[in-house]
Amino acid sequence: MKILQAQSSPKLPFLISKAPKSGGLPLPRKSSLLLNSNPCVASQRHERFNWLLLNSSISSSISTRAASVEANTSKITAGTGEKDVLKALSQIIDPDFGTDIVSCGFVKDLDINEESGEVSFWLELTTPACPVKDMFEKQANEVVAAVPWVKKVSVTMSAQPAKPIYAGELPMGLQAISNIIAVSSCKGGVGKSTVAVNLAYTLADMGARVGIFDADVYGPSLPTMVSPENRLLEMNPEKKTIIPTEYLGVKLVSFGFAGQGRAIMRGPMVSGVINQLLTTTEWGELDYLVIDMPPGTGDIQLTLCQVVPLTAAVIVTTPQKLAFIDVAKGVRMFSKLKVPCVAVVENMCHFDADGKRYYPFGRGSGSQARNYLAKNFLYQHSYNHIFFSLCSWICVVQQFGIPHLFDLPIRPTLSASGDSGVPEVAADPQGDVSKIFQELGVCVVQQCAKIRQQVSTAVSYDKSIKAIRVKVPDSDEEFLLHPATVRRNDRSAKSVDEWTGEQTLQYTDVLEDIEPEDIRPMGNYAVSITWPDGFSQIAPYDQLQTLERLIDVPQPTPA
């Protein structure tokens, strides 16, 4: 058994777009550029434009094909009906995955009556809040109806939410939640809770099953921003679990509903309270759980990222540079914990008066990015060139690859709705603010769908060869590590002096034949390895890829 030194700086892919198959309709050129490049500042306006191009192309293709078919040739050959229908449906391209809906596995229960020319099938999407489900239904009817022998088409839309990653290894209350979204600001007073609550009710309005968890124990905002009939959490005496309260179809949990008011306690106690509230609640089946994170990057934030595998994060800020500096710290924290930041919401950007738009805090990153895109990107400059002319705030967006930017105006109604207990998107669903949140909701749904297609790093112990297997996501790479090597490279306070950085764990302190007792994922960024002495080691995926690897490992002989 030999040891091979790993590369010093391995690179992990983040998001990989799949190209459409040759049988499908290709995406328009501008749409392909936005999908395959780093989409740091692509606006929702561009995506709608691309969808119009795509829809127009498909409709044109359908019309051309239909016009070229003569009535006397509309006969089906035995055994070709299913092939014809699937070929027609393969023209419809999913914008998130970049491939056709047949390859995505969306087409279910296809039933063909060859004699009557009737075709029926289900389109089973990954979320009931899919923003393009109506377009999919319309296009499916059109492309199948264009098949010469088809006389009648019946399309039924449904959704089968993605199963939670590591569902069996999560606390019981979290096992049926498909996506967990953190809304964070790392600075108080920027409107984070307003964004979290209105985003949650926007997702619910899109058809998703949603819950909100208010993780701010010191100053819970949820009891003020919503007004459920039952304002106290209840306990299930048999299961010893928490029953969430509910308002307008959204499940709610907050320390403010526990009848204790605001907490006066030390950090470790707060982490325990949050852990209990989050993991012992009977959330049931949810498509999205929105977590209103407390300000900062301390114990509570780390606890949340370790207890649950966060799907994505939405960052809230204001136009001031001071607020954005703190946001950058939060983005770095999520980056280290392998939580993708999918959007930045810039609150209190501007207000309109006397026919003009005023920016009381200066133009922030969102408005500058969009202005630059409008003047340069669509006409003459390459995609990467946009970053060189933007302010330092955009450099943070570029560095961490945050795909979307949203501006929220200063509106008295938005503030008043937060105080009245009725979210703005529920009070005025057709208003300008609600439209912005609808775009944010579409962004979150699309980005979560992309993220969930990724395969997480898999770490397991192969007892037959006494080695730890590490499978790298989105590749065929798999390597082996010696358990003693992993244990000796622990970087916790038990193994390394925090003041001097000196290694206190000696080489001989770890037995050569040591074996892990248990390996479990910790959030998105590491695994927790339990050793025979009871020590629980946190091993980040990035660190595992830098350790010495085993080669020429003898495989066990079959019995």
Side-chain angles (χ1 to χ4, degrees), residues 52 218 348 356 410 462 492 516 521 544:
L52 289 174
Y218 292 120
M348 296 180 281
K356 296 181 180 180
I410 299 175
D462 191 331
S492 69
L544 293 178

Short mmCIF file of all heavy atoms in Angstrom, two decimals, residues 52 218 348 356 410 462 492 516 521 544:
data_model
loop_
_atom_site.label_atom_id
_atom_site.label_comp_id
_atom_site.label_asym_id
_atom_site.label_seq_id
_atom_site.Cartn_x
_atom_site.Cartn_y
_atom_site.Cartn_z
N LEU A 52 -38.51 34.68 -24.04
CA LEU A 52 -39.31 35.09 -25.18
C LEU A 52 -38.70 34.59 -26.48
O LEU A 52 -39.39 34.11 -27.38
CB LEU A 52 -39.44 36.62 -25.21
CG LEU A 52 -40.34 37.23 -24.11
CD1 LEU A 52 -40.26 38.75 -24.16
CD2 LEU A 52 -41.77 36.76 -24.27
N TYR A 218 -32.49 36.82 20.51
CA TYR A 218 -32.35 38.06 21.27
C TYR A 218 -33.39 39.10 20.90
O TYR A 218 -33.84 39.88 21.74
CB TYR A 218 -30.95 38.65 21.07
CG TYR A 218 -29.85 37.81 21.67
CD1 TYR A 218 -28.84 37.28 20.88
CD2 TYR A 218 -29.81 37.55 23.04
CE1 TYR A 218 -27.83 36.51 21.43
CE2 TYR A 218 -28.80 36.78 23.60
CZ TYR A 218 -27.81 36.27 22.79
OH TYR A 218 -26.81 35.51 23.34
N MET A 348 -33.86 49.61 0.60
CA MET A 348 -33.88 51.08 0.79
C MET A 348 -32.97 51.78 -0.22
O MET A 348 -32.21 52.68 0.13
CB MET A 348 -33.49 51.43 2.22
CG MET A 348 -34.47 50.91 3.26
SD MET A 348 -34.03 51.32 4.96
CE MET A 348 -32.76 50.09 5.30
N LYS A 356 -39.18 62.18 -10.21
CA LYS A 356 -37.76 61.85 -10.26
C LYS A 356 -37.45 60.72 -9.28
O LYS A 356 -38.20 60.45 -8.36
CB LYS A 356 -36.92 63.09 -9.90
CG LYS A 356 -37.06 64.25 -10.87
CD LYS A 356 -36.18 65.42 -10.45
CE LYS A 356 -36.31 66.59 -11.40
NZ LYS A 356 -35.46 67.75 -10.98
N ILE A 410 -37.58 52.49 -1.12
CA ILE A 410 -38.11 52.97 0.15
C ILE A 410 -39.60 53.23 -0.05
O ILE A 410 -39.99 54.12 -0.80
CB ILE A 410 -37.40 54.26 0.61
CG1 ILE A 410 -35.91 53.99 0.81
CG2 ILE A 410 -38.02 54.80 1.88
CD1 ILE A 410 -35.11 55.25 1.13
N ASP A 462 -14.57 2.09 4.16
CA ASP A 462 -14.61 0.75 3.58
C ASP A 462 -13.86 -0.19 4.52
O ASP A 462 -12.63 -0.21 4.54
CB ASP A 462 -13.96 0.77 2.19
CG ASP A 462 -14.22 -0.53 1.42
OD1 ASP A 462 -14.37 -1.57 2.08
OD2 ASP A 462 -14.24 -0.49 0.18
N SER A 492 -8.44 20.86 15.24
CA SER A 492 -9.24 21.44 16.32
C SER A 492 -8.35 21.81 17.50
O SER A 492 -7.15 21.52 17.54
CB SER A 492 -10.31 20.44 16.77
OG SER A 492 -9.71 19.34 17.43
N PRO A 516 -12.50 4.51 12.14
CA PRO A 516 -13.62 5.38 12.58
C PRO A 516 -14.84 4.56 12.93
O PRO A 516 -15.10 3.52 12.32
CB PRO A 516 -13.88 6.26 11.35
CG PRO A 516 -13.42 5.43 10.19
CD PRO A 516 -12.26 4.62 10.69
N PRO A 521 -22.29 13.46 7.45
CA PRO A 521 -22.12 14.80 6.86
C PRO A 521 -22.45 15.89 7.86
O PRO A 521 -23.36 15.74 8.68
CB PRO A 521 -23.09 14.79 5.67
CG PRO A 521 -24.11 13.77 6.04
CD PRO A 521 -23.41 12.72 6.84
N LEU A 544 -9.66 17.27 3.24
CA LEU A 544 -9.50 15.86 2.87
C LEU A 544 -8.79 15.72 1.51
O LEU A 544 -8.02 14.79 1.30
CB LEU A 544 -10.85 15.16 2.83
CG LEU A 544 -11.58 14.98 4.17
CD1 LEU A 544 -12.94 14.32 3.96
CD2 LEU A 544 -10.74 14.18 5.15
#
